Amino acid sequence: MDNSYKIKVQHVTKEYDLYKSQAEKLRAFFSLSNSTVPHFWSLMGISLEVKPGETLGLIGVNGSGKSTLSNIISGIIPQTTGTVDVRGDTSIIAIGAGLRGNLTGLENIRLKALMQGLTNPEIDALMDDIVSFADIGDFLYQPVKSYSSGMKSRLGFSIAVHVNPDILIIDEALSVGDDTFYQKCVDKISEFKDEGKTIVFVSHSLKQVEILCDRVAWIHYGTLKEIGATADVVKHYREFTKWFKGQTKKEKKHFQRQMKTNQKSFDIDAYQKQVTEERQAAAPDDPNVAAEVKKDFYGSVISEKMSWGNRLLTFGVAIVFVLACLVNVSGHSVSEVLQNPGSIVHPETVLHDSNKTTNVK
Ligand SMILES: Nc1ncnc2c1ncn2[C@@H]1O[C@H](COP(=O)(O)OP(=O)(O)OP(=O)(O)O)[C@@H](O)[C@H]1O
């Protein structure tokens, strides 16, 4: 097995349909095409590796796709195309993910730890440590939906670092805590690093990134702008933000609109063709390149969009289900209803033989 990486992300894209309402979503489901619905590509082909024991920072402006990427790596949302290969004995844990609003803090601790594969006695043994690290007092007995974002972050972080995960995904968790909690988290992350664990760290705080990360990936409006040593990437990102801040209001708007337009007009087929051509140029004698690229793009994803065959099948099953319910309440047998469908809506009409109906009233 290739142990040069812990996480490998290849040609990952994420497409969202921008429906204006539930009704529009429903219409698109039953219509022949949803081409009128605008599409938005949150990620437009990200490929990167995270090495074992490495802390990789993800930086980028608001809406650039950092959380989308970290959620795809954590398995919280599926990618539209591409592969995500997570190596080894992986217990991957994302701090904010999986807290249930209707359950109390205590119940959430047990649930999330059970989902990580811990047994009840193991959880009992860890409970005091988790509770004391989170330090949220009596809120522990309240439903999580009543928590502030800082409290959720405290609880999520505490659970995540105590269940001994192989890979830790930290998305903005440190930005909401106070100074004491922040320092506790930084110490815990450093402990993790010393133990050789792999961390993906999403943050807007370049200072935190500089302290904690070995390498940094700069995600820029759905693309990977740069990946490399922390000092280099952070320097280039600072230059970009300085340049951006120096623009007039109108120029900033124009730039952002241009970036979003690119994300709306992204062509996945053209991207696949480009990757195929690049690989063919590198291996001109390999006849399987196109098939391999297709497999890399679509081999490990389940289509989020239903094929037409499946839509028709779903529609057919729904009709049969409704008919079955109507037959049931009408009090007639299936054969009667099949011979005289009107008996469903006019229950007083029954069929005595195949040719004649009699009104029983
Ligand atoms: N469910 C969704 N439907 C439509 N668009 C979405 C959805 N989720 C995210 N997006 C869009 O995808 C883009 C990337 O969002 P994401 O949250 O990954 O960015 P981010 O870099 O983490 O931003 P921030 O730094 O503000 O947290 C944004 O433009 C966002 O509006």
Side-chain angles (χ1 to χ4, degrees), residues 16-18 40 42 60-69 204 260:
Y16 287 111
D17 291 327
L18 301 180
F40 183 80
S42 178
V61 297
N62 286 126
S64 55
K66 306 177 295 294
S67 300
T68 306
L69 181 59
H204 280 289
K260 296 280 170 196

Side-chain angles (χ1 to χ4, degrees), residues 74 76 90-97 112-113 115-116 156-171 192 198 200:
S74 316
I76 296 166
T90 50
S91 56
I92 192 162
I93 192 154
I95 283 169
K112 217 171 158 182
M115 283 164 69
Q116 279 303 118
F157 193 94
S158 182
I159 303 171
V161 294
H162 284 91
V163 296
N164 197 26
D166 229 22
I167 299 171
L168 190 62
I169 312 277
I170 306 168
D171 188 348
F192 261 69
T198 307
V200 176

